[in-house]
Amino acid sequence: MCRLFAMTAGTERVAATFWLLDAPDSLEVQSRRNVDGSGIGFFDPAGLPILDKQPEPAFGDQEFISEAKQATSTTFVAHVRLATAGGRTTANTHPFAMRGRIMAHNGGFGEVARLDAQLGDYRQLVQGETDSERYFALITQQIDRHGGDVGTGIAAAARWIAANLPVSSLNMVLATAGDLWALRYPGQHALHVIERPAGDSIPASATSPARPSRAGSSASSLHLASPASSANSASSAGPAGPVSPADRLPMTTPAGLHVRSATSAVHAPALRAVPTVVIASEELDGELGWRMLAPGELIHVRPDLTVESAVVLPEPPARLLPLTGQNPNKDV
C-alpha cells in the first residue's frame, strides 16, 4: 500500500494485521527508497484514537520493516511516508490525531507561514513541522466553524488552501470511530475506493483472464500471492530476513480480506463475514471493483457503510505544482 490506506467495518470491531513496508507475500524485494516513516491509527472500545507509528531510517532496521502491526477497531488508517516537509521524527509521522479524529495526507503544498496565520489559536494543535498536520488543524478549525460538520469542514479547508497556496495534492483520509471521509484533489495523485461485501479476497491462483469476479465489480487488477500464514491467523509477521520470490508463494489464501501491493499487505479474517469499505492510493491486489475517485471528489462512509459522494472542489488550484513523471502515485 503506497501512501494512504483506510478501512471501515462500520459498527463492527474487527482485528487486522498490517505489513506496511515488507509484506510476507511480496513478489519483489523492497526497493531502497528513503521511506521516512509509517504508522497506523485506530480506535479503542471507547472510541478514543490510538496511534502506532515510527519514523523509519531508510531501511536500517530489517526487523522493524518486516514487523506486523496488529489492531482491533471499527475503522483503521495507515500511511507510509515519503517526506516532503519536516524531518524524520515521530511527531512528523502520519497518521495524526486531533480532537478525537485520525487523519493522513498524501501530497504537499507551500507557503505554510500563510497557513499558520490563518490557523490562529488552532496552530497550537500542531505538534510537528509538516504541512500535513497543519492541513489537519485547518480542517479542525473549519469543522468547528461549520457547526461540527466534518465533510463541510474538509471541503472548506481544502478550498482555502487551493485558493491561497501552491498545491501539489490534498488527498487525505479522515476517520472517527464510526465514520470515514476521503478527498481526492486535484487529480495528480490517485485515490481509490471499493465497497467490499463479506467474503474472501481473490486467491493467487485466480490469475487467469477468465477468473470470476465479485457481483457488481467493474474493474480488475493483477492478483499476486497471499501470505504464508494459516487461514485463521492474523498475527504472523512473516520472515525477518530476505526472502526469494519463490518462497513467497503459498498454496492457499487467508480467510477474509487480504489485500496487498508489491511490498505491503493487510489481512482481516473477520471480514469473511463482515462487509467493509476500503480506500487506498492504489488498486490493491486481492479485490476486484476498485473505483478511482474523481478530482475534487469527497466521499463519506457512514456507520451503516452507506457511501455518500460529491465533487466539492470542481476547480483546479490557483497555483498547481506539477508532479514529475517518476512520482509513484501520479495517474497514468
Side-chain angles (χ1 to χ4, degrees):
M1 121 201 31
C2 190
R3 308 280 175 101
L4 285 180
F5 176 91
M7 178 175 73
T8 178
T11 59
E12 297 287 335
R13 290 183 62 79
V14 299
T17 303
F18 295 78
W19 293 267
L20 296 181
L21 297 180
D22 187 17
D25 58 337
S26 298
L27 287 182
E28 59 186 61
V29 176
Q30 172 62 49
S31 65
R32 296 281 173 172
R33 293 177 302 173
N34 288 325
V35 171
D36 298 296
S38 64
I40 62 172
F42 53 98
F43 296 89
D44 70 12
L48 299 177
I50 298 174
L51 302 179
D52 181 1
K53 59 183 184 177
Q54 180 172 331
E56 178 54 37
F59 295 89
D61 183 349
Q62 184 63 38
E63 182 177 354
F64 173 77
I65 292 168
S66 298
E67 179 185 17
K69 292 180 176 290
Q70 301 167 30
T72 300
S73 183
T74 55
T75 309
F76 304 83
V77 172
H79 186 273
V80 175
R81 180 177 185 235
L82 281 77
T84 56
R88 291 190 185 113
T89 67
T90 300
N92 289 338
T93 303
H94 301 230
F96 306 104
M98 200 175 289
R99 300 278 179 89
R101 307 178 187 102
I102 295 173
M103 178 263 203
H105 166 223
N106 176 15
F109 53 87
E111 300 180 12
V112 294
R114 294 189 64 190
L115 179 52
D116 286 343
Q118 170 69 15
L119 288 174
D121 291 342
Y122 285 81
R123 178 64 177 82
Q124 300 174 16
L125 297 174
V126 180
Q127 303 299 308
E129 309 164 289
T130 65
D131 53 356
S132 301
E133 195 179 11
R134 288 173 166 90
Y135 181 18
F136 194 8
L138 183 62
I139 290 171
T140 302
Q141 177 197 72
Q142 294 301 314
I143 291 171
D144 290 348
R145 289 185 177 179
H146 290 87
D149 187 321
V150 175
T152 301
I154 292 170
R159 192 174 295 115
W160 188 92
I161 294 174
N164 293 281
L165 307 179
V167 171
S168 65
S169 176
L170 297 179
N171 284 15
M172 53 78 66
V173 291
L174 186 150
T176 65
D179 296 80
L180 178 63
W181 290 262
L183 173 69
R184 182 182 181 225
Y185 182 79
Q188 297 197 108
H189 284 301
L191 195 61
H192 303 83
V193 62
I194 185 170
E195 298 177 55
R196 181 187 186 276
D200 295 338
S201 291
I202 307 298
S205 60
T207 56
S208 67
R211 67 183 182 271
S213 63
R214 293 184 183 276
S217 295
S218 58
S220 62
S221 60
L222 175 64
H223 298 288
L224 306 182
S226 53
S229 57
S230 68
N232 295 317
S233 172
S235 60
S236 173
V243 178
S244 69
D247 291 335
R248 296 176 183 267
L249 295 174
M251 299 301 294
T252 61
T253 294
L257 173 83
H258 183 71
V259 290
R260 58 264 183 203
S261 70
T263 56
S264 304
V266 180
H267 181 208
L271 296 181
R272 165 174 273 187
V274 177
T276 189
V277 177
V278 180
I279 296 163
S281 292
E282 57 185 311
E283 296 185 14
L284 300 174
D285 298 309
E287 293 293 329
L288 299 171
W290 293 97
R291 178 181 72 81
M292 176 86 80
L293 273 65
E297 182 179 357
L298 175 68
I299 65 172
H300 175 201
V301 187
R302 294 187 174 275
D304 63 359
L305 296 182
T306 58
V307 179
E308 299 174 349
S309 171
V311 174
V312 296
L313 284 87
E315 301 298 327
R319 289 182 286 166
L320 179 65
L321 297 175
L323 302 178
T324 66
Q326 289 73 36
N327 189 284
N329 283 315
K330 183 176 181 181
D331 297 347
V332 293

